[in-house]
Amino acid sequence: MPRPLVLNEDRLFPLEPSARALARELYGTVARLPIISPHGHTDPAWFALNKSFGNAAELLLQPDHYLTRMLYSQGVPLEALGVKGAAADPREAWRIFAQHYHLFRGTPSRMWMDWVLSEVFGIAMRLDAETADAAYDRITDALATPECAPRALFERFNIEVLATTESPLDSLEHHAAIRQSGWQGRVITAYRPDPVVDPEFEGFATNLALLAELTGEDCGSWHGYLAAHRQRRAFFKGMGATSTDHGHPTAQTADLSGHEAESLFDRVKGGHASSQDAELFRAQMLTEMARMSVEDGLVMQLHPGSYRNHNADLFARFGRDVGADIPLRTDYVHALKPLLDRFGNAPGFSLILFTLDESTYARELAPLAGHYPCLKLGPAWWFHDSPEGMRRFRRMVTETAGFYNTVGFNDDTRAFLSIPARHDVARRVDCGFLAELVMEHRLEEDEAFELAQDLAYDLAKKAYRL
Amino acid sequence: MPRPLVLNEDRLFPLEPSARALARELYGTVARLPIISPHGHTDPAWFALNKSFGNAAELLLQPDHYLTRMLYSQGVPLEALGVKGAAADPREAWRIFAQHYHLFRGTPSRMWMDWVLSEVFGIAMRLDAETADAAYDRITDALATPECAPRALFERFNIEVLATTESPLDSLEHHAAIRQSGWQGRVITAYRPDPVVDPEFEGFATNLALLAELTGEDCGSWHGYLAAHRQRRAFFKGMGATSTDHGHPTAQTADLSGHEAESLFDRVKGGHASSQDAELFRAQMLTEMARMSVEDGLVMQLHPGSYRNHNADLFARFGRDVGADIPLRTDYVHALKPLLDRFGNAPGFSLILFTLDESTYARELAPLAGHYPCLKLGPAWWFHDSPEGMRRFRRMVTETAGFYNTVGFNDDTRAFLSIPARHDVARRVDCGFLAELVMEHRLEEDEAFELAQDLAYDLAKKAYRL
Amino acid sequence: MPRPLVLNEDRLFPLEPSARALARELYGTVARLPIISPHGHTDPAWFALNKSFGNAAELLLQPDHYLTRMLYSQGVPLEALGVKGAAADPREAWRIFAQHYHLFRGTPSRMWMDWVLSEVFGIAMRLDAETADAAYDRITDALATPECAPRALFERFNIEVLATTESPLDSLEHHAAIRQSGWQGRVITAYRPDPVVDPEFEGFATNLALLAELTGEDCGSWHGYLAAHRQRRAFFKGMGATSTDHGHPTAQTADLSGHEAESLFDRVKGGHASSQDAELFRAQMLTEMARMSVEDGLVMQLHPGSYRNHNADLFARFGRDVGADIPLRTDYVHALKPLLDRFGNAPGFSLILFTLDESTYARELAPLAGHYPCLKLGPAWWFHDSPEGMRRFRRMVTETAGFYNTVGFNDDTRAFLSIPARHDVARRVDCGFLAELVMEHRLEEDEAFELAQDLAYDLAKKAYRL
């Protein structure tokens, strides 16, 4: 028998009544603030072309690796879900998802999806085998209406600014089209150079050739290669970018002499680097990117510590991003030292650190960010972008780094419809955390109201120079 | 002045009244469910012979390394406790324990022991120096009665199935005797091949010779050795085994070619392996065991990360298992890859992972189990089999792996009388966790009732194929 | 508009009313107990000379690296704060601090400073840009009065014993002067030999020469060097020392043969050790210090895991201790084995372990301390000396090590005025923790009252042999 789908207005607030009451009050002051989304993976083509999204499965299920990984872990073949263009009837894929919806109990995916079903599509019954078809139809029908076109949703979601992430090889044509369209939505890019910085990235040598073609620089030479980066960074900045992003397996940095760096580049540029050279080159490039950030003012982001494509068989069959990336233990204290020795005290330089290794919050990241003027901490990331994950972040970071060495919330998602749900979770959890501090008399009430606004809006805007 | 011993009916439930009320209600639906004990170290001889247990010290104190280690840490010599057959008056040993009972404040041992004293023996006063003798007498007298014979307790504890753990070299005569006895209690074995898999195990070469003798296979050859495993696994399966268990220092796996494996076996079989070869052989054997599990359907368990016998002097004097095993930092992401590359997507294969390194819960184990179809997570283990340990497990695991990639509770104990107490703690903590999720509106009430039953009973039965 | 500064009497207690009520009651029994401060970094000259402290900035801001690091992280130059004798107007430095006081929201520094402002100086308004001058004047004026002289504060703070920390090269003249003065305050020293034990310490070779001069021993020979230690330890003991302290980058110990140790000493004594030799020498010296502790009964403390002076530029400009020390991942299980193999079961030997790596609490430290008779755990240290840090300590340590393998609280500070505030935070957090255990029925009320006293007073006294 279908059950009602209810989003309780007190969800995620502390249980103790006085803290809950204050959390509710704090949340009331930030619930409607515009969304600052300074880091994510939505597709700028959506906003450039403003074409309707297809159907429920295509929009909400197939590209969401949080969902497909959990289903796969319980024996559902990715083919049956139509992942990565596998032939599958979308309605049938949606039914499988709905039948397995209980798997998501206690996960953030459940909270985000319930929000989307209820708030975007007005669905009143909990998703399950029985309600699957009705939900599918309601969503798919709604997607065909103008109210659910990408730009309309962007406006309805009250997004003030949304950053996408592009490779230096991207023409940014969609960003250009958005700007030329006259539409007022602020969609900006971010510079993510992994494909031309990581010698182990698929097609690295080809990517260098494309970079050379795109820039007219000689990307067979270290100096030409750096010049190409400078040129693309400037181009990205022109398309609104205020930040770069770096998705390395480790946080390792290096500070080689010009001669050493040149010789290293010569060894890796052909695409046949040893793993040591590849790691060293990525390390050196973080320091080069820092140098360029000091020059051009782009805020640098480092997202290290993911073992990409851990499932070899799935990678061979489906390629990247099917939910088989697994976090790694990550060191920051030694790894960042070369870069920090060079630029750690450089005026205006800003480096936002993320982690998938929570043991570094209190041990390494908060002490580093609580000292170096250039360092700030990004919010709880990826697997930790969840109520418990956010609480651990605040509890382990705040006492050493304070609030003002953090940067507010990132949704970091390609699941466009979940963006408001994710920001809502973060705002609720943060207001709950602040309320508990007040009720424990570790913070005054007026400060909590100021901080609620800072965490929901101001810090992100300031940290990303938006 | 002696104090009353009271087991409050609300113990371990959340403090906030609405969550406490719901936890109590949830617990009410699972408190009396039969016990599924799929992994532990009780002695099958107890149930085969059904002889009375001896005295309080012999049953409750001397074999319990949780107790003896704490007493030793505060200066009590193991000899005085009669550990490992050291000559000691059992009543005197019990008195020492009782005098030091305050050391266990805040530990799970205190909760388990209080349950045993109160619920099994009807003792109404808290254990201390004054009450020691009365408790000793009451327990020792009760043990001589038919109501406290092993089978009677098994039935009184409402145990549906109890797995013990045996070496391949074990004849399983007690298991055979239980089956032939006509008694209906379900006691099954599990295949724990460490003594013939770990080249650093005491007597490894001798153990191989015994294995050869037992199976008629040539355990001087790699193929004969593997055939001997297959034969013993089949024999164990015949004695009810549904699982294997592997207690390695690390989670390292390997996937060598047949030729490499053979040559490695030749190097280690004599019992003089280098530590690298020993580690590599254990690693390869995990993959071999996985291969056999794919064939025979035995669920595989991996319990890595304990530095065994850390106290060299005590090991020399008392041997293994005297409370000197210390957890180690453990890596799973790299370590399991060879095995997962080979069998990670194999239909029907199931590998249950345990850890003593809680930093891996959110970082490695939940992401792995939330992706690979073969992986499930065992409950909080050993030092973490405790209220706070269980809460950390649920809070760090659930958001990424969900509930359905976990396997319910294991008591993992040789302290037979504490089994119901341990399951009771787990059921209480889980009901408390679920109640808090409901009161935070992250889970609906009907789902919490379903999950309470799953966590207390169904998941264990299903995961262990019982 | 200035806001009142209020220290709520229920601060840091649990939110749930019944637990809060019991916490308040528990706290009531320990709030006024004398302070045992067995480990810290106050200056004995204060108590020897009893000269007035200077001004607000000089006393409360400039030497407090918790404060200066946070300000530096947000772009305030250390010069502007007058750190390390940099020329800066103290009032102006104080104003900068006050303007940035919001940075400390949610940090323990805020709680400590508010206590000092309110309880020592009677300041009733929250510190901010507007109130900065009034606070500065009030503090600076008060410091000139006899009530704020060091000895008067010591008495007012109800300190029973205060340990400072000195190098073997220190003459202990101030300690001698205190003893000769007739003043009854108990200020004792502790033996911190890092400058003559760590070959990478600034001026190591010179330090050895000074040690030789001071003792008349031949510190160019291994045996003379060890004899010099024995002599200085005895001298320190005569000045009240009951403990030694060791601040190594890792917890590595070694147990070399006499010949190996001698040859190692010859390699490092000139001050040009390789980093491996330096590490090995520190490791060996921990075992030598343990040996001497077995002989002379000084309790040994190990504070490992800090990457000192991480910010190279600041180190060059300001030297040590400017807030740029960053914690490191730390191993204890392998690292301590050589020392424990030698002295782990030695009667009367006591080694108190600290950590900056909280992932070791439940995994390594609690299991080690819950087994080895010589090991005890120091309280949450440095960055973790905070409400959340203390709670994590209790939650991750107690279930395995119990309460009685811990040693009460250390303030570990040079910020003299904050000592009562720090002990007050610890007492409140511990009483809250105990109250929650009682309300969860994991502990009886009478036990909680006994433990509150143990944690606040008795354990420290006993562990440090005071």
Side-chain angles (χ1 to χ4, degrees):
Chain A
M1 196 183 58
R3 304 268 187 172
L5 163 51
V6 182
L7 298 186
N8 189 289
E9 62 180 11
D10 280 343
R11 62 192 184 279
L12 295 174
F13 293 155
L15 267 57
E16 194 279 321
S18 71
R20 175 164 288 195
L22 178 57
R24 194 186 295 130
E25 218 184 315
L26 290 166
Y27 175 73
T29 67
V30 300
R32 305 279 157 209
L33 287 177
I35 288 175
I36 304 293
S37 177
H39 176 79
H41 299 277
T42 52
D43 186 344
W46 296 335
F47 309 105
L49 308 174
N50 202 31
K51 279 174 42 181
S52 288
F53 294 111
N55 57 59
E58 184 189 326
L59 178 62
L60 300 179
L61 169 60
Q62 289 156 356
D64 188 334
H65 52 69
Y66 287 85
L67 300 182
T68 57
R69 77 192 310 275
M70 179 69 93
L71 295 167
Y72 186 70
S73 81
Q74 289 278 319
V76 176
L78 294 183
E79 290 84 351
L81 300 172
V83 165
K84 291 270 180 163
D89 175 51
R91 180 184 295 273
E92 198 48 52
W94 182 261
R95 283 178 184 156
I96 294 172
F97 172 50
Q99 281 156 19
H100 290 83
Y101 200 54
H102 64 284
L103 299 179
F104 297 96
R105 288 171 178 166
T107 71
S109 291
R110 162 70 179 272
M111 299 202 79
W112 300 330
M113 185 58 67
D114 275 0
W115 187 94
V116 169
L117 297 178
S118 168
E119 300 302 294
V120 181
F121 298 109
I123 290 172
M125 303 313 285
R126 193 190 304 165
L127 190 62
D128 62 19
E130 265 185 89
T131 62
D133 275 18
Y136 184 87
D137 289 335
R138 182 161 188 139
I139 295 165
T140 305
D141 290 353
L143 291 178
T145 65
E147 289 75 25
C148 287
R151 291 181 183 179
L153 287 174
F154 185 102
E155 287 157 11
R156 180 171 156 195
F157 291 166
N158 196 20
I159 298 174
E160 181 172 318
V161 56
L162 177 71
T164 65
T165 307
E166 272 80 36
S167 150
L169 304 178
D170 195 289
S171 66
L172 303 187
E173 54 176 331
H174 297 304
H175 285 277
I178 293 166
R179 301 185 147 227
Q180 287 152 14
S181 72
W183 178 56
Q184 293 303 309
R186 187 171 173 204
V187 177
I188 63 177
T189 184
Y191 190 70
R192 170 92 168 213
D194 302 357
V196 295
V197 153
D198 178 2
E200 295 177 321
F201 207 95
E202 301 95 284
F204 176 68
T206 313
N207 293 342
L208 289 191
L210 289 168
L211 183 64
E213 201 175 307
L214 208 57
T215 59
E217 297 288 350
D218 170 15
C219 290
S221 89
W222 174 235
H223 293 286
Y225 168 74
L226 293 177
H229 273 293
R230 282 196 170 84
Q231 193 191 121
R232 292 309 285 167
R233 289 173 65 108
F235 178 66
F236 272 60
K237 220 176 143 175
M239 288 297 174
T242 67
S243 67
T244 72
D245 184 33
H246 307 275
H248 289 202
T250 75
Q252 191 61 52
T253 65
D255 191 17
L256 303 177
S257 70
H259 176 73
E260 289 167 326
E262 196 162 351
S263 139
L264 174 62
F265 181 70
D266 287 342
R267 293 202 301 280
V268 306
K269 71 186 180 191
H272 306 288
S274 69
S275 62
Q276 290 94 321
D277 272 353
E279 175 69 356
L280 184 58
F281 188 72
R282 288 187 298 258
Q284 179 62 26
M285 284 309 296
L286 287 180
T287 307
E288 298 297 339
M289 289 290 119
R291 188 190 322 276
M292 294 184 200
S293 277
V294 170
E295 296 164 10
D296 65 18
L298 292 181
V299 172
M300 187 169 174
Q301 299 173 90
L302 180 57
H303 284 88
S306 176
Y307 191 124
R308 302 277 173 181
N309 316 309
H310 192 273
N311 190 321
D313 178 56
L314 283 197
F315 183 55
R317 287 160 53 214
F318 293 94
R320 299 191 148 242
D321 296 331
V322 294
D325 297 344
I326 310 289
L328 287 170
R329 200 160 62 213
T330 303
D331 159 72
Y332 293 87
V333 181
H334 297 101
L336 293 177
K337 189 146 199 321
L339 185 154
L340 291 170
D341 279 351
R342 178 64 66 165
F343 300 114
N345 305 292
F349 174 50
S350 186
L351 169 55
I352 300 174
L353 299 175
F354 294 80
T355 198
L356 294 173
D357 180 355
E358 294 177 315
S359 75
T360 64
Y361 282 158
R363 186 180 61 216
E364 305 180 23
L365 293 176
L368 284 165
H371 166 70
Y372 279 100
C374 63
L375 296 182
K376 297 271 179 298
L377 301 187
W381 175 41
W382 197 341
F383 297 103
H384 311 309
D385 176 10
S386 63
E388 298 294 341
M390 290 173 188
R391 286 170 187 160
R392 285 195 293 271
F393 176 81
R394 290 282 175 221
R395 286 181 188 144
M396 293 201 270
V397 157
T398 306
E399 293 182 321
T400 291
F403 290 103
Y404 294 96
N405 285 308
T406 66
V407 304
F409 183 64
N410 283 186
D411 54 72
D412 194 16
T413 191
R414 68 197 70 214
F416 177 47
L417 271 65
S418 76
I419 287 178
R422 289 169 191 250
H423 285 260
D424 189 62
V425 167
R427 289 171 182 188
R428 288 173 176 275
V429 171
D430 281 339
C431 288
F433 179 72
L434 293 170
E436 289 182 336
L437 288 183
V438 172
M439 290 303 158
E440 269 193 26
H441 307 291
R442 296 160 67 185
L443 191 72
E444 297 299 324
E445 216 172 281
D446 65 293
E447 298 178 294
F449 279 94
E450 209 175 298
L451 278 164
Q453 164 97 16
D454 289 334
L455 300 182
Y457 182 82
D458 292 344
L459 283 176
K461 220 166 152 172
K462 189 171 166 210
Y464 283 90
R465 300 175 180 172
L466 292 167
Chain B
M1 197 184 56
R3 303 268 188 174
L5 190 178
V6 182
L7 298 188
N8 189 289
E9 61 179 12
D10 281 343
R11 62 192 184 279
L12 294 174
F13 294 155
L15 268 56
E16 193 279 321
S18 70
R20 175 163 287 197
L22 178 57
R24 195 186 295 132
E25 218 184 316
L26 291 166
Y27 174 73
T29 67
V30 300
R32 304 280 157 208
L33 286 177
I35 288 175
I36 305 292
S37 176
H39 176 80
H41 299 277
T42 52
D43 186 343
W46 297 336
F47 309 106
L49 308 174
N50 203 32
K51 280 175 40 183
S52 288
F53 293 110
N55 57 59
E58 185 190 327
L59 178 63
L60 299 179
L61 170 60
Q62 288 156 358
D64 188 334
H65 53 68
Y66 286 85
L67 300 182
T68 56
R69 77 193 310 275
M70 178 70 92
L71 294 167
Y72 186 71
S73 80
Q74 289 278 319
V76 176
L78 294 183
E79 289 83 352
L81 299 172
V83 165
K84 291 268 179 164
D89 176 52
R91 181 184 295 273
E92 199 46 54
W94 182 262
R95 282 177 185 156
I96 294 173
F97 171 50
Q99 281 155 19
H100 290 83
Y101 200 54
H102 64 282
L103 298 179
F104 297 95
R105 288 171 179 167
T107 71
S109 292
R110 162 69 180 271
M111 300 202 78
W112 302 329
M113 186 58 68
D114 275 359
W115 188 94
V116 169
L117 297 178
S118 168
E119 300 301 295
V120 180
F121 299 107
I123 290 171
M125 302 313 286
R126 195 191 301 166
L127 191 62
D128 62 20
E130 265 184 90
T131 62
D133 275 17
Y136 183 86
D137 289 334
R138 183 162 187 138
I139 295 165
T140 305
D141 291 351
L143 290 178
T145 65
E147 290 73 27
C148 286
R151 290 182 183 177
L153 287 174
F154 187 102
E155 287 156 11
R156 181 171 157 194
F157 291 167
N158 195 18
I159 298 176
E160 182 173 319
V161 56
L162 177 72
T164 66
T165 307
E166 272 79 36
S167 150
L169 303 177
D170 194 290
S171 65
L172 304 188
E173 53 177 331
H174 297 304
H175 286 278
I178 293 167
R179 301 185 147 226
Q180 287 152 16
S181 71
W183 178 56
Q184 294 303 309
R186 187 172 173 204
V187 177
I188 63 177
T189 183
Y191 190 71
R192 171 91 169 214
D194 301 358
V196 295
V197 153
D198 178 359
E200 293 176 323
F201 206 95
E202 300 94 284
F204 176 68
T206 313
N207 293 343
L208 289 191
L210 289 169
L211 183 64
E213 202 176 305
L214 209 57
T215 58
E217 298 287 350
D218 170 14
C219 291
S221 89
W222 174 235
H223 293 286
Y225 168 74
L226 293 178
H229 273 294
R230 283 196 170 84
Q231 195 192 119
R232 292 310 284 168
R233 290 172 65 109
F235 178 67
F236 272 61
K237 220 177 143 176
M239 287 296 173
T242 67
S243 67
T244 72
D245 184 33
H246 307 275
H248 289 201
T250 74
Q252 191 61 52
T253 66
D255 192 16
L256 303 177
S257 70
H259 176 74
E260 289 166 326
E262 197 163 349
S263 137
L264 174 62
F265 180 71
D266 286 342
R267 292 201 303 279
V268 306
K269 69 185 180 192
H272 305 288
S274 69
S275 63
Q276 291 94 320
D277 272 353
E279 174 72 354
L280 184 58
F281 187 71
R282 288 187 298 259
Q284 179 62 26
M285 283 309 296
L286 287 180
T287 307
E288 298 298 338
M289 289 290 118
R291 188 190 321 276
M292 293 183 201
S293 277
V294 170
E295 294 164 11
D296 65 18
L298 292 181
V299 171
M300 187 170 174
Q301 299 172 87
L302 180 56
H303 285 88
S306 176
Y307 191 124
R308 302 277 171 180
N309 317 309
H310 192 272
N311 190 322
D313 179 55
L314 282 197
F315 182 56
R317 287 161 52 215
F318 293 93
R320 300 192 147 239
D321 296 330
V322 295
D325 298 344
I326 310 291
L328 288 169
R329 200 159 63 211
T330 303
D331 160 71
Y332 293 87
V333 181
H334 297 100
L336 293 177
K337 190 147 199 319
L339 185 155
L340 292 171
D341 279 352
R342 178 64 64 164
F343 299 114
N345 306 291
F349 175 50
S350 186
L351 170 54
I352 301 174
L353 299 174
F354 293 79
T355 198
L356 293 173
D357 180 356
E358 294 177 314
S359 77
T360 65
Y361 281 159
R363 185 181 64 216
E364 305 180 24
L365 292 176
L368 284 165
H371 167 70
Y372 279 99
C374 64
L375 296 181
K376 297 273 177 298
L377 301 187
W381 175 40
W382 196 342
F383 298 105
H384 311 309
D385 177 10
S386 64
E388 298 294 340
M390 290 173 188
R391 286 170 187 159
R392 287 195 292 271
F393 175 81
R394 291 282 174 221
R395 285 181 188 145
M396 293 201 269
V397 157
T398 307
E399 294 182 321
T400 291
F403 289 104
Y404 293 97
N405 286 308
T406 65
V407 306
F409 182 64
N410 284 187
D411 53 73
D412 194 16
T413 191
R414 68 197 71 216
F416 177 47
L417 270 64
S418 76
I419 287 179
R422 289 169 190 249
H423 285 261
D424 189 63
V425 168
R427 289 171 183 188
R428 287 173 177 276
V429 170
D430 281 340
C431 288
F433 179 72
L434 293 170
E436 290 182 335
L437 287 184
V438 171
M439 290 303 157
E440 269 194 26
H441 307 291
R442 295 159 70 185
L443 191 71
E444 296 299 324
E445 217 173 280
D446 65 293
E447 299 177 295
F449 279 94
E450 210 175 299
L451 279 164
Q453 164 96 17
D454 289 334
L455 300 183
Y457 182 82
D458 293 343
L459 283 175
K461 218 165 154 173
K462 190 173 167 208
Y464 283 90
R465 300 177 181 171
L466 293 167
Chain C
M1 197 185 56
R3 304 268 187 174
L5 190 178
V6 182
L7 297 188
N8 190 289
E9 61 178 14
D10 280 341
R11 62 193 184 279
L12 295 174
F13 294 156
L15 269 55
E16 193 279 321
S18 70
R20 175 163 289 196
L22 178 57
R24 195 187 294 131
E25 219 184 313
L26 290 165
Y27 174 73
T29 68
V30 301
R32 304 281 158 208
L33 287 178
I35 287 175
I36 305 293
S37 176
H39 176 80
H41 298 277
T42 53
D43 186 344
W46 297 335
F47 309 106
L49 308 173
N50 201 31
K51 281 175 40 183
S52 288
F53 294 110
N55 58 57
E58 185 189 327
L59 177 63
L60 299 179
L61 168 61
Q62 288 156 357
D64 188 334
H65 53 70
Y66 286 85
L67 300 181
T68 56
R69 75 192 312 274
M70 178 69 93
L71 295 166
Y72 185 70
S73 80
Q74 289 276 320
V76 176
L78 294 183
E79 289 83 352
L81 300 172
V83 165
K84 292 266 179 167
D89 176 51
R91 180 184 295 275
E92 197 48 53
W94 182 262
R95 282 177 184 155
I96 293 173
F97 171 51
Q99 280 156 21
H100 289 83
Y101 200 55
H102 64 283
L103 298 180
F104 298 95
R105 288 171 178 167
T107 72
S109 292
R110 163 68 179 272
M111 298 202 79
W112 301 328
M113 186 57 68
D114 275 0
W115 187 94
V116 169
L117 297 177
S118 168
E119 300 302 293
V120 181
F121 299 108
I123 290 172
M125 302 312 287
R126 194 190 302 166
L127 190 63
D128 63 20
E130 264 185 272
T131 63
D133 275 17
Y136 183 88
D137 290 335
R138 184 163 187 136
I139 295 165
T140 305
D141 291 353
L143 290 177
T145 66
E147 290 74 25
C148 287
R151 291 181 184 180
L153 287 174
F154 186 101
E155 287 156 11
R156 178 170 157 196
F157 290 167
N158 195 20
I159 298 176
E160 182 174 319
V161 56
L162 176 71
T164 65
T165 306
E166 271 81 35
S167 151
L169 304 177
D170 194 288
S171 66
L172 304 187
E173 55 177 330
H174 296 303
H175 285 278
I178 293 168
R179 301 184 147 227
Q180 288 152 14
S181 73
W183 179 56
Q184 294 303 310
R186 186 171 174 203
V187 177
I188 62 177
T189 184
Y191 189 71
R192 170 93 168 211
D194 302 357
V196 295
V197 153
D198 178 0
E200 294 177 322
F201 207 95
E202 300 94 284
F204 177 68
T206 313
N207 293 342
L208 289 190
L210 290 168
L211 183 64
E213 201 175 308
L214 209 55
T215 59
E217 298 288 350
D218 170 15
C219 291
S221 90
W222 174 234
H223 294 285
Y225 169 74
L226 293 178
H229 274 292
R230 283 196 171 84
Q231 193 191 121
R232 292 309 283 167
R233 289 172 65 108
F235 179 66
F236 273 60
K237 220 176 142 176
M239 287 296 175
T242 68
S243 67
T244 72
D245 183 33
H246 307 276
H248 290 201
T250 75
Q252 191 63 51
T253 65
D255 191 18
L256 303 177
S257 70
H259 177 73
E260 289 167 326
E262 197 163 349
S263 138
L264 174 62
F265 180 71
D266 287 342
R267 293 202 301 279
V268 306
K269 70 186 181 191
H272 305 290
S274 68
S275 63
Q276 289 95 319
D277 272 353
E279 175 71 356
L280 184 58
F281 188 73
R282 288 187 297 258
Q284 179 62 26
M285 283 309 296
L286 288 180
T287 306
E288 298 297 339
M289 289 289 119
R291 188 190 321 277
M292 294 184 201
S293 277
V294 170
E295 295 164 11
D296 65 17
L298 292 181
V299 171
M300 187 170 174
Q301 299 173 89
L302 180 56
H303 285 88
S306 177
Y307 192 124
R308 303 275 170 181
N309 316 309
H310 192 272
N311 190 322
D313 179 55
L314 282 197
F315 183 56
R317 286 161 53 215
F318 294 92
R320 300 193 147 238
D321 297 329
V322 294
D325 298 343
I326 310 289
L328 287 170
R329 198 158 65 212
T330 303
D331 160 70
Y332 293 86
V333 181
H334 297 100
L336 293 177
K337 191 148 196 322
L339 184 154
L340 291 172
D341 279 351
R342 177 65 64 166
F343 301 113
N345 306 291
F349 175 49
S350 186
L351 170 54
I352 301 174
L353 299 174
F354 294 80
T355 198
L356 294 173
D357 179 356
E358 294 177 316
S359 76
T360 65
Y361 281 157
R363 186 180 63 215
E364 305 180 23
L365 293 176
L368 284 165
H371 166 70
Y372 280 100
C374 64
L375 296 180
K376 297 271 179 298
L377 301 187
W381 175 40
W382 197 341
F383 297 105
H384 310 308
D385 176 10
S386 63
E388 299 293 340
M390 290 174 188
R391 287 170 186 159
R392 286 194 294 270
F393 176 80
R394 291 281 175 221
R395 285 181 187 144
M396 293 201 270
V397 157
T398 307
E399 294 183 320
T400 291
F403 290 103
Y404 293 95
N405 285 308
T406 65
V407 305
F409 182 65
N410 284 186
D411 55 72
D412 194 16
T413 191
R414 69 197 70 214
F416 177 48
L417 272 62
S418 75
I419 287 179
R422 290 169 190 248
H423 285 261
D424 189 62
V425 167
R427 290 171 182 189
R428 288 172 176 276
V429 170
D430 281 339
C431 288
F433 179 71
L434 293 170
E436 290 182 335
L437 287 183
V438 171
M439 290 303 158
E440 270 194 24
H441 308 291
R442 295 160 69 186
L443 191 71
E444 296 300 322
E445 217 173 278
D446 65 294
E447 298 178 295
F449 279 93
E450 210 176 298
L451 279 163
Q453 164 96 15
D454 289 334
L455 301 182
Y457 181 81
D458 293 344
L459 284 175
K461 219 165 154 172
K462 190 172 165 207
Y464 283 90
R465 301 174 181 173
L466 291 167

